Amino acid sequence: MAVIFVAELGDKSQLMAMTFATRFRALPVLIGITAATAIVHLASVAVGAALGAALPTGPISILAGLAFLGFALWTLRGDELDDTERDKARHATGSAILAVGAAFFLAELGDKTMLATVTLAADNGGLLALTGVWAGSTIGMVAADALAIVIGQILGRKLPERVIKYGAAAGFAIFGVLLLVEGATA
């Protein structure tokens, strides 16, 4: 757990959590992150246990980078909401959970926390040890991202909507470009 928590500090996933927390309520963001992380890290443990080697990260990073550039454009395009629609959006949970979950799932494939989980699983045999690797890596990542959610929620209350919109779009674009570069050099 500690290895993944420290690896996650300052990672793009933590920055994504902060960005999503400026646009959605904290609980749906945390649920989306937890679900995606649990799935990715379960797959990481399975890969590590079965093969002891990492997945090719280049194509996965390129796909995730393109998705993030799409998220940036989507954020910039935006929609004009009246007060009733804005209130509904703030209280919507299903769409926020799916958006956050899908984004985190793509971002974590081939990420350093996934590869760290693969490595830990490859070094720890047995069902009990592998279950511990999965639970610890998931809890460590969610704990680090929960800190980012709190910061994002505070910023979301203090910044004008326009600043949040452009900041979120810039964040997604930056993550997208970084993932494309990572994928091209892998």
Side-chain angles (χ1 to χ4, degrees):
M1 181 171 93
V3 170
I4 301 300
F5 180 86
V6 171
E8 191 62 17
L9 293 176
D11 191 60
K12 69 180 176 284
S13 303
Q14 196 176 38
L15 297 173
M16 281 176 38
M18 190 182 317
T19 301
F20 275 120
T22 64
R23 305 200 41 91
F24 300 114
R25 291 181 309 133
L27 186 58
V29 173
L30 190 59
I31 291 170
I33 290 170
T34 302
T37 300
I39 293 167
V40 169
H41 288 202
L42 183 61
S44 302
V45 168
V47 168
L51 305 172
L55 294 170
T57 59
I60 293 168
S61 291
I62 289 171
L63 177 64
L66 292 172
F68 276 84
L69 290 176
F71 291 146
L73 292 174
W74 186 9
T75 300
L76 277 178
R77 186 183 134 261
D79 292 320
E80 292 299 320
L81 300 177
D82 62 25
D83 290 337
T84 304
E85 291 170 325
R86 186 174 285 116
D87 191 49
K88 279 184 191 175
R90 284 191 184 116
H91 297 325
T93 55
S95 60
I97 291 170
L98 289 175
V100 173
F104 268 80
F105 182 81
L106 287 171
E108 284 307 303
L109 291 175
D111 189 57
K112 67 182 175 187
T113 51
M114 178 188 178
L115 297 176
T117 303
V118 168
T119 302
L120 289 170
D123 290 341
N124 292 285
L127 183 59
L128 186 59
L130 293 174
T131 302
V133 169
W134 173 68
S137 66
T138 300
I139 291 167
M141 184 167 160
V142 171
D145 290 339
L147 290 175
I149 290 170
V150 170
I151 293 167
Q153 290 285 299
I154 292 168
L155 288 176
R157 279 185 244 126
K158 298 194 183 285
L159 295 174
E161 190 172 327
R162 185 179 190 137
V163 171
I164 292 171
K165 176 181 173 177
Y166 289 122
F172 285 128
I174 290 167
F175 301 139
V177 169
L178 291 174
L179 285 166
L180 287 172
V181 169
E182 183 181 305
T185 59

